[in-house]
Amino acid sequence: MEKEVVVIGLGYVGLPSVVNHVKKGHKVIGFDIDKRKVDLLNKGISHLDTVTDETVQMLKANGTVFTYEEQLIREKDVYIIDVPTPIDKNKIPDLSYIKSAVELIKNKVKIGSLIILESTTYPGTTEEYLVAVFSKLGYTIGVDLFIAYSPERIDPGNTQSLSAKIPRIVAGHTAECLSEAKLFFGSHVSSVSNLKTAELAKIYENTFRLVNIALADELQIISDDLSIDVYEVLEAAATKPFGFMKFTPSLGIGGHCIPVDPYYLTWLMGARGVETPLIETAGEINDSMLDYYLNKIVAYIGKNHDKNLDKKLDEMKIAILGITYKKNVADTRMSSVISLIQKLKERNSTIVVYDDILYSTTNITQNNVSRLEQKYHQLKEFDMVIYAVNHQLYEDNKANIIRNSQLFYDLTLV
Ligand SMILES: NC(=O)c1ccc[n+]([C@@H]2O[C@H](COP(=O)([O-])OP(=O)(O)OC[C@H]3O[C@@H](n4cnc5c(N)ncnc54)[C@H](O)[C@@H]3O)[C@@H](O)[C@H]2O)c1
């Protein structure tokens, strides 16, 4: 049945969510406090590399409304909250966006509205920030209003993982809340018995990745010391058809999820007096890899130049290929390449950054990022090329890139 749906927060999760719900036949209003994004969307222009302008124009043609005007989201059937859940510089969860989204809708819901939180957060958030607030306003949850939690599992940049096809975990505050949410989401739904279980399942998924990437990082250090090719080890281990999943070492995990979400759990458990040493150590290993790789780069230069290493780095003009947090996306949030560039600049290297994927994202002015536009001969003027992000465009031209590099360092493989 067609519903009037409000999606709050039109970022990497919210905008694709608008697309999915429009495709399912609902009438959708996309709300964001960022006027710039709303204005662009209303002009038929996407502010995200993961959603095309054509898709935004299709949404507009279908009657989808994009707005920052609060009065337009009154008394709708469904409210979906897709706002950020970052950590601060001390790795403490910042729930202010969820709080402000709840403030926004608390006087606008109607009897029978379904409110779904999709942001990633620690167990207990939906009860504390939604159920408690609406109960205090006099609503009986499960009768007057329905509250559910359903974490988003979208994988930006992965064209195989259309979010509508990824199974959803759904939990409701009551059985009635759950059945309303299940009815709304339809297929590909896996329900769990309570809100906290759904919240913990999502954080566990991302913590699982952090811990396993940290283990692969440690394998890199072990393999380097033993003069063994870490990738050959990983490929060999991956031939086991059960009980093994391949993760690869990295300069440091970036993005809005894996370097953030586990700290929601460690913070919560710390406040409850429960230790989480494995997760914390994994985080520390992840944080330490930047210096490890910087040392590897310096050693590589030394091996190839046979000169005073640090001095050589000082003098070098270096091209960095790719600055985003992962391949084929234009998202630089928490990208370790940015930290690497900072460290190289501290050592007085001259750095020029190329990222054709980031640059080609319309509508966002990217300072200090250039594009190669396939003119790989330009790389000849650099002392070294650091291949930091293996965007498909660069992968397809890798041989050409290597041919034009005086010294080529492949960070995507180390
Ligand atoms: N990006 C991902 O790949 C991904 C995947 C799964 C889950 N998540 C989770 O989904 C949530 C959203 O992440 P994202 O990547 O879409 O963030 P984002 O920063 O791309 O988008 C969030 C949007 O919310 C808007 N916003 C903030 N406060 C608001 C308010 N009070 N009212 C309306 N709009 C508001 C911001 O302006 C922004 O446009 C986070 O909890 C994140 O952990 C993200």
Coordinates of all heavy atoms in Angstrom, one line a residue, residues 7-16 31-35 37 47-48 67 81-86 96-102 104 117-121 149 151-156 202 206 255-257 260-261 264 325-326 331 333, ligand 1:
V7 N 12.1 10.8 4.6 CA 13.4 10.4 4.9 C 14.2 11.6 5.4 O 14.3 12.6 4.7 CB 14.1 9.8 3.6 CG1 15.6 9.4 3.9 CG2 13.4 8.6 3.1
I8 N 14.7 11.4 6.6 CA 15.4 12.6 7.3 C 16.9 12.3 7.2 O 17.5 11.4 7.8 CB 15.0 12.7 8.7 CG1 13.5 13.0 8.8 CG2 15.8 13.8 9.5 CD1 12.8 12.7 10.1
G9 N 17.6 13.2 6.4 CA 19.0 13.1 6.2 C 19.2 12.5 4.8 O 18.9 11.3 4.6
L10 N 19.7 13.3 3.9 CA 19.8 12.9 2.5 C 21.3 12.6 2.1 O 21.8 13.1 1.1 CB 19.2 13.9 1.5 CG 17.7 14.2 1.8 CD1 17.2 15.3 1.0 CD2 16.9 12.9 1.6
G11 N 22.0 11.9 2.9 CA 23.4 11.6 2.6 C 23.6 10.2 1.9 O 22.7 9.8 1.2
Y12 N 24.7 9.6 2.2 CA 25.0 8.3 1.5 C 24.0 7.2 1.8 O 23.8 6.3 1.0 CB 26.4 7.8 1.9 CG 27.5 8.5 1.1 CD1 28.1 9.7 1.6 CD2 27.9 8.0 -0.1 CE1 29.0 10.3 0.8 CE2 28.9 8.6 -0.8 CZ 29.4 9.8 -0.4 OH 30.4 10.4 -1.1
V13 N 23.3 7.3 2.9 CA 22.3 6.3 3.2 C 20.9 6.9 2.8 O 20.1 6.2 2.2 CB 22.3 6.0 4.7 CG1 21.1 5.2 5.2 CG2 23.6 5.1 5.0
G14 N 20.6 8.1 3.2 CA 19.3 8.6 3.0 C 18.8 8.8 1.6 O 17.7 8.4 1.2
L15 N 19.7 9.3 0.7 CA 19.3 9.5 -0.7 C 19.0 8.2 -1.4 O 17.9 8.1 -2.0 CB 20.3 10.4 -1.4 CG 19.9 10.9 -2.8 CD1 18.5 11.6 -2.7 CD2 20.9 11.8 -3.4
P16 N 19.9 7.2 -1.3 CA 19.5 5.9 -1.9 C 18.2 5.3 -1.3 O 17.4 4.6 -2.0 CB 20.7 5.0 -1.6 CG 21.8 5.9 -1.4 CD 21.2 7.2 -0.8
F31 N 14.1 15.1 3.4 CA 14.3 16.3 4.3 C 15.8 16.3 4.7 O 16.3 15.3 5.1 CB 13.4 16.2 5.5 CG 13.6 17.4 6.4 CD1 12.8 18.6 6.3 CD2 14.6 17.4 7.4 CE1 13.0 19.7 7.1 CE2 14.8 18.5 8.2 CZ 14.0 19.7 8.1
D32 N 16.4 17.5 4.6 CA 17.7 17.7 5.1 C 17.9 19.1 5.6 O 17.3 20.0 5.0 CB 18.8 17.4 4.0 CG 20.1 17.0 4.5 OD1 20.8 17.8 5.2 OD2 20.6 15.8 4.4
I33 N 18.7 19.3 6.6 CA 18.9 20.6 7.1 C 20.0 21.4 6.2 O 20.1 22.6 6.4 CB 19.4 20.6 8.6 CG1 20.6 19.6 8.8 CG2 18.3 20.3 9.5 CD1 21.2 19.7 10.1
D34 N 20.7 20.6 5.4 CA 21.7 21.2 4.5 C 21.0 21.8 3.3 O 20.7 21.1 2.3 CB 22.7 20.2 4.2 CG 23.9 20.8 3.4 OD1 23.8 21.8 2.8 OD2 25.0 20.1 3.5
K35 N 20.8 23.1 3.3 CA 20.1 23.8 2.2 C 20.8 23.6 0.8 O 20.1 23.5 -0.2 CB 19.9 25.3 2.4 CG 19.0 25.5 3.6 CD 18.8 27.0 3.8 CE 17.8 27.2 5.0 NZ 17.6 28.5 5.4
K37 N 22.4 21.0 -0.3 CA 22.1 19.7 -0.9 C 20.7 19.7 -1.4 O 20.4 19.2 -2.5 CB 22.2 18.6 0.2 CG 23.7 18.3 0.5 CD 23.8 17.2 1.6 CE 25.2 17.1 2.1 NZ 25.3 16.3 3.3
H47 N 24.2 15.4 -5.2 CA 25.5 15.8 -4.5 C 26.3 14.6 -4.2 O 27.4 14.7 -3.6 CB 25.1 16.6 -3.2 CG 24.3 15.8 -2.3 ND1 22.9 15.6 -2.5 CD2 24.6 15.1 -1.2 CE1 22.4 14.9 -1.5 NE2 23.4 14.5 -0.7
L48 N 25.9 13.4 -4.6 CA 26.6 12.2 -4.3 C 27.1 11.5 -5.6 O 26.3 11.5 -6.5 CB 25.7 11.2 -3.5 CG 25.2 11.6 -2.2 CD1 24.3 10.6 -1.6 CD2 26.4 11.8 -1.2
T67 N 13.3 18.9 0.6 CA 13.0 20.1 1.3 C 13.8 20.3 2.6 O 14.3 19.3 3.1 CB 11.5 20.2 1.7 OG1 11.2 21.5 2.2 CG2 11.1 19.1 2.7
I81 N 14.9 7.8 9.8 CA 16.0 8.7 10.3 C 17.3 8.1 9.8 O 17.8 7.0 10.2 CB 16.0 8.8 11.8 CG1 14.6 9.4 12.3 CG2 17.1 9.7 12.3 CD1 14.4 9.5 13.8
D82 N 18.0 8.9 8.9 CA 19.3 8.5 8.4 C 20.3 9.6 8.6 O 21.0 10.1 7.7 CB 19.1 8.3 6.8 CG 18.4 7.0 6.5 OD1 18.4 6.1 7.3 OD2 17.7 7.0 5.5
V83 N 20.5 10.0 9.8 CA 21.4 11.1 10.1 C 22.8 10.5 10.6 O 22.9 9.4 11.0 CB 20.8 12.1 11.2 CG1 19.6 12.8 10.6 CG2 20.5 11.3 12.5
P84 N 23.8 11.4 10.6 CA 25.2 10.9 11.0 C 25.2 10.5 12.5 O 24.5 11.0 13.3 CB 26.1 12.0 10.7 CG 25.3 13.0 9.9 CD 23.9 12.8 10.2
T85 N 26.1 9.5 12.7 CA 26.5 9.1 14.1 C 28.0 9.1 14.2 O 28.6 8.0 14.2 CB 25.8 7.7 14.5 OG1 26.1 6.8 13.4 CG2 24.4 7.9 14.7
P86 N 28.6 10.2 14.3 CA 30.1 10.2 14.3 C 30.6 10.0 15.7 O 29.8 9.8 16.7 CB 30.4 11.7 13.9 CG 29.2 12.5 14.2 CD 28.0 11.6 14.3
S96 N 24.1 13.7 18.8 CA 23.4 15.0 18.7 C 22.5 15.1 17.5 O 21.5 15.7 17.5 CB 24.4 16.2 18.7 OG 25.2 16.1 17.6
Y97 N 23.0 14.4 16.4 CA 22.2 14.4 15.2 C 20.9 13.6 15.3 O 19.8 14.0 14.8 CB 23.0 13.9 14.0 CG 24.2 14.7 13.7 CD1 25.4 14.3 14.2 CD2 24.1 15.8 12.9 CE1 26.6 15.1 14.0 CE2 25.3 16.5 12.6 CZ 26.5 16.2 13.2 OH 27.6 16.9 12.9
I98 N 21.0 12.5 16.0 CA 19.8 11.7 16.3 C 18.8 12.5 17.2 O 17.6 12.6 16.9 CB 20.1 10.3 16.9 CG1 20.8 9.4 15.9 CG2 18.8 9.6 17.5 CD1 21.1 8.0 16.4
K99 N 19.4 13.1 18.2 CA 18.6 13.9 19.1 C 17.9 15.0 18.3 O 16.7 15.2 18.5 CB 19.6 14.5 20.1 CG 18.9 14.7 21.5 CD 20.0 15.1 22.5 CE 19.3 15.8 23.6 NZ 20.2 16.3 24.6
S100 N 18.6 15.7 17.4 CA 18.0 16.8 16.7 C 16.9 16.3 15.7 O 15.9 17.0 15.5 CB 19.0 17.7 16.1 OG 19.6 17.1 15.0
A101 N 17.1 15.1 15.1 CA 16.1 14.6 14.2 C 14.9 14.2 15.0 O 13.7 14.4 14.5 CB 16.7 13.3 13.5
V102 N 15.0 13.7 16.2 CA 13.8 13.4 17.0 C 13.1 14.7 17.4 O 11.9 14.8 17.4 CB 14.2 12.5 18.2 CG1 13.1 12.3 19.2 CG2 14.8 11.2 17.8
L104 N 13.0 17.3 15.7 CA 12.4 17.8 14.5 C 11.0 17.2 14.3 O 10.1 17.9 14.0 CB 13.3 17.5 13.3 CG 12.8 17.7 11.9 CD1 12.8 19.1 11.6 CD2 13.6 16.8 10.9
L117 N 14.5 4.2 12.9 CA 15.9 4.7 13.0 C 16.8 3.7 12.2 O 16.7 2.5 12.4 CB 16.4 4.8 14.5 CG 17.8 5.2 14.7 CD1 18.1 6.6 14.2 CD2 18.2 5.1 16.2
E118 N 17.6 4.3 11.3 CA 18.5 3.4 10.5 C 20.0 3.7 10.7 O 20.8 3.0 10.3 CB 18.2 3.6 9.0 CG 16.9 3.1 8.5 CD 16.7 3.1 7.0 OE1 17.3 3.9 6.3 OE2 15.9 2.3 6.5
S119 N 20.2 4.9 11.4 CA 21.6 5.2 11.7 C 22.3 4.1 12.6 O 21.6 3.5 13.4 CB 21.7 6.5 12.5 OG 21.1 7.6 11.7
T120 N 23.6 3.9 12.4 CA 24.3 3.0 13.2 C 24.5 3.5 14.6 O 25.0 4.7 14.7 CB 25.6 2.6 12.6 OG1 25.4 2.3 11.2 CG2 26.4 1.5 13.3
T121 N 24.3 2.8 15.6 CA 24.5 3.3 17.0 C 24.5 2.2 18.0 O 24.3 1.0 17.7 CB 23.3 4.3 17.3 OG1 23.6 4.9 18.6 CG2 22.0 3.7 17.3
Y149 N 13.9 -0.2 14.7 CA 15.2 0.0 14.4 C 15.6 -0.9 13.3 O 15.3 -2.1 13.3 CB 16.2 -0.2 15.6 CG 17.6 0.0 15.2 CD1 18.1 1.4 15.0 CD2 18.5 -1.0 14.9 CE1 19.4 1.6 14.6 CE2 19.8 -0.8 14.5 CZ 20.2 0.5 14.4 OH 21.5 0.8 14.0
P151 N 19.0 -1.3 10.8 CA 20.3 -0.7 10.4 C 20.5 -0.8 8.9 O 20.1 -1.7 8.3 CB 21.4 -1.5 11.1 CG 20.7 -2.8 11.3 CD 19.2 -2.5 11.6
E152 N 21.1 0.3 8.3 CA 21.4 0.3 6.9 C 22.7 -0.5 6.6 O 23.6 -0.4 7.4 CB 21.6 1.7 6.4 CG 21.9 1.8 4.9 CD 20.9 1.1 4.0 OE1 19.7 1.5 4.0 OE2 21.3 0.1 3.4
R153 N 22.7 -1.3 5.5 CA 23.9 -2.1 5.2 C 24.5 -1.8 3.9 O 25.2 -2.6 3.3 CB 23.6 -3.6 5.3 CG 23.3 -4.1 6.6 CD 22.6 -5.4 6.5 NE 22.9 -6.3 7.6 CZ 22.4 -7.5 7.8 NH1 21.5 -7.9 6.9 NH2 22.7 -8.2 8.8
I154 N 24.1 -0.6 3.3 CA 24.6 -0.2 2.0 C 26.1 -0.3 1.9 O 26.8 0.0 2.9 CB 24.0 1.2 1.6 CG1 24.1 1.4 0.2 CG2 24.8 2.3 2.4 CD1 23.3 2.7 -0.2
D155 N 26.6 -0.6 0.7 CA 28.1 -0.7 0.5 C 28.4 0.3 -0.6 O 28.5 -0.1 -1.8 CB 28.5 -2.1 0.1 CG 30.0 -2.3 0.0 OD1 30.7 -1.4 0.4 OD2 30.4 -3.3 -0.6
P156 N 28.7 1.5 -0.3 CA 28.9 2.5 -1.4 C 30.0 2.1 -2.3 O 31.1 1.6 -1.9 CB 29.3 3.8 -0.6 CG 28.8 3.6 0.7 CD 28.8 2.1 1.0
K202 N 24.4 -4.8 14.0 CA 25.0 -3.9 13.1 C 26.4 -3.5 13.5 O 27.4 -3.5 12.7 CB 24.1 -2.6 12.9 CG 24.8 -1.5 12.1 CD 25.0 -1.9 10.6 CE 25.9 -0.8 9.9 NZ 26.1 -1.1 8.5
N206 N 30.4 -4.5 11.7 CA 31.5 -3.6 11.4 C 32.7 -3.8 12.3 O 33.8 -3.6 11.9 CB 31.0 -2.1 11.4 CG 30.2 -1.8 10.2 OD1 30.1 -2.6 9.3 ND2 29.6 -0.7 10.1
G255 N 36.4 6.0 6.0 CA 35.0 6.1 5.8 C 34.3 6.4 7.1 O 34.9 6.7 8.2
H256 N 32.9 6.3 7.1 CA 32.1 6.8 8.2 C 31.7 5.6 9.1 O 31.1 5.8 10.1 CB 30.8 7.4 7.6 CG 30.0 8.1 8.5 ND1 30.5 8.8 9.6 CD2 28.6 8.2 8.6 CE1 29.4 9.3 10.2 NE2 28.3 8.9 9.7
C257 N 32.1 4.4 8.7 CA 31.5 3.2 9.5 C 32.6 2.5 10.3 O 32.6 2.5 11.5 CB 30.9 2.3 8.5 SG 29.5 3.0 7.7
V260 N 34.6 4.0 13.0 CA 33.7 4.8 14.0 C 32.9 3.8 14.8 O 33.0 3.9 16.1 CB 32.8 5.7 13.2 CG1 31.8 6.4 14.1 CG2 33.6 6.8 12.4
D261 N 32.2 3.0 14.2 CA 31.1 2.2 14.9 C 31.7 1.4 16.1 O 31.0 1.3 17.1 CB 30.4 1.3 13.9 CG 29.8 2.0 12.7 OD1 29.7 3.3 12.8 OD2 29.4 1.4 11.7
Y264 N 31.5 3.0 19.3 CA 30.2 3.1 20.0 C 30.1 2.0 21.0 O 29.5 2.2 22.1 CB 29.0 3.1 19.0 CG 28.7 4.4 18.4 CD1 29.6 5.2 17.7 CD2 27.4 5.0 18.7 CE1 29.3 6.5 17.2 CE2 27.1 6.3 18.2 CZ 28.1 7.0 17.5 OH 27.7 8.3 17.1
Y325 N 38.4 7.2 0.6 CA 38.7 6.2 1.6 C 38.6 4.8 1.0 O 39.1 3.8 1.6 CB 37.7 6.4 2.8 CG 36.4 5.7 2.7 CD1 36.2 4.4 3.0 CD2 35.3 6.5 2.2 CE1 34.9 3.8 2.9 CE2 34.0 5.9 2.1 CZ 33.9 4.6 2.5 OH 32.6 4.0 2.3
K326 N 38.0 4.7 -0.2 CA 38.0 3.4 -0.9 C 37.8 3.5 -2.3 O 37.5 4.6 -2.8 CB 37.1 2.3 -0.3 CG 35.6 2.6 -0.5 CD 34.9 1.3 0.0 CE 33.4 1.3 -0.5 NZ 32.6 0.2 0.0
D331 N 34.1 9.7 -1.7 CA 34.0 10.0 -0.3 C 35.4 10.0 0.4 O 36.1 9.0 0.4 CB 33.1 9.0 0.4 CG 32.6 9.3 1.8 OD1 33.2 10.3 2.3 OD2 31.8 8.6 2.3
R333 N 35.8 10.9 3.7 CA 35.7 10.9 5.1 C 36.6 9.9 5.8 O 36.6 8.7 5.5 CB 34.3 10.7 5.6 CG 33.3 11.8 5.2 CD 31.9 11.6 5.6 NE 31.4 10.5 4.9 CZ 30.1 10.0 5.0 NH1 29.3 10.6 5.9 NH2 29.7 9.0 4.3
Ligands
LIG1 N1 27.8 5.7 4.5 C1 27.7 4.4 4.6 O1 28.2 3.7 3.8 C2 26.8 3.8 5.7 C3 26.5 2.5 5.6 C4 25.7 1.9 6.6 C5 25.2 2.7 7.6 N2 25.6 4.0 7.7 C6 25.1 4.8 8.8 O2 24.0 5.6 8.4 C7 24.0 6.9 9.0 C8 24.0 8.0 8.0 O3 25.3 8.0 7.4 P1 25.6 8.7 6.0 O4 26.8 8.1 5.5 O5 24.4 8.7 5.1 O6 25.8 10.2 6.5 P2 25.9 11.5 5.6 O7 26.7 12.5 6.4 O8 26.3 11.2 4.2 O9 24.4 12.1 5.5 C9 23.7 12.5 6.7 C10 22.8 13.6 6.3 O10 22.0 14.0 7.4 C11 21.8 15.4 7.4 N3 21.4 15.8 8.7 C12 22.1 15.9 9.9 N4 21.3 16.3 10.9 C13 20.0 16.4 10.4 C14 18.7 16.7 10.9 N5 18.6 17.0 12.2 N6 17.7 16.7 10.1 C15 17.8 16.4 8.8 N7 19.0 16.1 8.2 C16 20.1 16.1 9.0 C17 23.2 15.9 6.9 O11 23.0 17.2 6.4 C18 23.6 14.9 5.9 O12 23.1 15.3 4.6 C19 25.1 6.9 10.0 O13 24.7 6.4 11.2 C20 26.1 5.8 9.4 O14 26.9 5.2 10.4 C21 26.3 4.6 6.7

